[in-house]
Amino acid sequence: MPATEIQTYVGRFAPSPTGPLHFGSLLAAVASYLDARHANGRWLLRIEDIDPPREQAGADIEIIEALDRYGFEWDGPVTYQSSFRERHREAVERLLRSGWAYPCTCSRRDLAQAARGPLGRIYPGTCRSGTRQSDDVAVRVRTTDEAICFTDRLQGAQSQRLESQSGDFVILRRDGLIAYQLAVAVDDAEQGVTDVVRGLDLLPSTARQIHLQRLLGLPTQTYAHVPLVENTDGSKLSKGTGATPIPLDRAPTTLLATLAALRQRPPKSLSGAPLPAIWDWAVEHWDARALAGQRNIALQHYC
Ligand code: GLU
Ligand code: ZN
């Protein structure tokens, strides 16, 4: 009889080094960490440094230090997504060879008239059947209108028809940079990630990532999208409101507040406790179901 393969949970936190950790990213980090540790799983830290124009020098170090100060313990070394460029390129090449991807010479101006869908402008397919030779090209992947369905552990059943909702989307940008959708789809699969726990802002990207994984013959993860932190008036966080860096001198209190925001119920006896005691309690009692169906969390819970 073949040995039964026991699949252990592998989670990850994948911040882009665009600035220091703020409450929104801390919330996602805590949720993914607790979900992994509660399942006795591994938890990886991957810095998604593939978009230099958006990055801030030193932000990677700041993020790593902040996570360390908060007592997160990742398995293995921190990985940098830029070091996986080779396999991102290979994936693009494979999709081009199979005909699933094609060069696109459309400029932003060319697409300015395209209809808008729930995921932004819908690519009208201009270059689908070939385009003029040019070095200055993006690469797009073909989509179909077959529904891509998955069940998000927190947000329930999801379904997207990519062809009508986004159109063929970019996997290699005109500026030569790999698109986030491609990099994350490849790396989650290649790093053996089984469970993605991240912010709800990425829920609309998930079907595109699943589409790419299917075309590349890669496994797909289980997803849980956690609520976003908002100002009490429902507006998005910005610098000056909640998007300020998390405090490094008050990690235990901030962690307790984060747990409360995640609808866990840390006992009063933990106030004033050191980080390891808070983490022990949180790992043992983590209950993701408390977040089911929640879409946002008001900032006041942190204060
Ligand atoms: N790097 C992305 C971000 O910081 C997150 C990627 C992911 O969790 O899939 O927004
Ligand atoms: Zn085009």
Side-chain angles (χ1 to χ4, degrees):
M1 254 182 34
T4 322
E5 200 180 306
I6 299 171
Q7 200 191 35
T8 43
Y9 184 119
V10 181
R12 49 62 158 189
F13 179 52
S16 301
T18 49
L21 277 191
H22 56 77
F23 283 120
S25 36
L26 178 67
L27 193 101
V30 170
S32 87
Y33 186 70
L34 291 176
D35 206 58
R37 293 298 188 228
H38 183 76
N40 265 320
R42 290 162 50 76
W43 190 72
L44 314 178
L45 177 55
R46 181 175 74 225
I47 304 287
E48 300 208 318
D49 59 338
I50 51 162
D51 193 357
R54 286 185 55 230
E55 287 160 19
Q56 194 178 299
D60 57 330
I61 303 296
E62 269 185 283
I63 291 171
I64 294 167
E65 275 175 13
L67 291 171
D68 186 48
R69 286 282 278 276
Y70 272 72
F72 288 88
E73 291 173 356
W74 45 91
D75 291 297
V78 178
T79 53
Y80 281 77
Q81 197 164 40
S82 58
S83 67
F84 303 136
R85 236 178 236 136
E86 198 74 10
R87 70 186 183 205
H88 301 151
R89 286 279 174 170
E90 270 166 27
V92 172
E93 289 300 326
R94 274 180 56 202
L95 292 169
L96 280 167
R97 276 200 305 273
S98 67
W100 271 102
Y102 60 88
C104 164
T105 48
C106 297
S107 66
R108 215 177 275 262
R109 247 195 36 229
D110 295 333
L111 300 176
Q113 303 305 321
R116 268 186 193 284
L119 307 174
R121 296 253 179 236
I122 301 170
Y123 182 66
T126 324
C127 305
R128 261 193 164 184
S129 42
T131 184
R132 65 190 153 80
Q133 282 291 328
S134 165
D135 289 339
D136 189 17
V137 292
V139 175
R140 288 183 187 268
V141 67
R142 283 177 208 278
T143 51
T144 74
D145 232 17
E146 197 185 314
I148 295 183
C149 302
F150 64 98
T151 303
D152 187 274
R153 280 170 55 206
L154 300 177
Q155 308 300 333
Q158 308 292 320
S159 169
Q160 264 182 22
R161 295 181 189 274
L162 291 177
E163 190 171 15
S164 51
Q165 294 188 340
S166 82
D168 301 347
F169 57 93
V170 171
I171 52 174
L172 181 68
R173 292 167 22 179
R174 265 172 106 88
D175 58 10
L177 295 173
I178 282 288
Y180 156 72
Q181 308 294 359
L182 187 283
V184 82
V186 168
D187 292 342
D188 281 339
E190 294 283 353
Q191 289 188 293
V193 171
T194 60
D195 286 73
V196 170
V197 179
R198 61 185 175 188
L200 195 55
D201 52 329
L202 294 167
L203 182 62
S205 290
T206 310
R208 279 172 282 182
Q209 294 164 16
I210 294 174
H211 178 57
L212 289 171
Q213 291 175 329
R214 289 182 181 166
L215 294 181
L216 292 163
L218 296 169
T220 286
Q221 294 67 49
T222 297
Y223 294 93
H225 286 88
V226 300
L228 296 180
V229 184
E230 288 187 342
N231 295 314
T232 39
D233 64 0
S235 60
K236 263 186 83 122
L237 286 192
S238 63
K239 293 223 174 70
T241 53
T244 48
I246 53 170
L248 296 184
D249 53 345
R250 285 177 277 130
T253 339
T254 310
L255 179 57
L256 281 173
T258 309
L259 292 173
L262 287 167
R263 301 189 175 234
Q264 310 301 299
R265 296 168 180 274
K268 288 245 168 358
S269 59
L270 279 178
S271 65
L275 278 173
I278 301 173
W279 280 122
D280 283 351
W281 179 88
V283 168
E284 188 183 339
H285 295 89
W286 170 246
D287 183 7
R289 286 169 308 179
L291 293 171
Q294 300 293 319
R295 299 193 68 85
N296 37 56
I297 289 173
L299 182 67
Q300 64 189 5
H301 288 284
Y302 283 107
C303 309

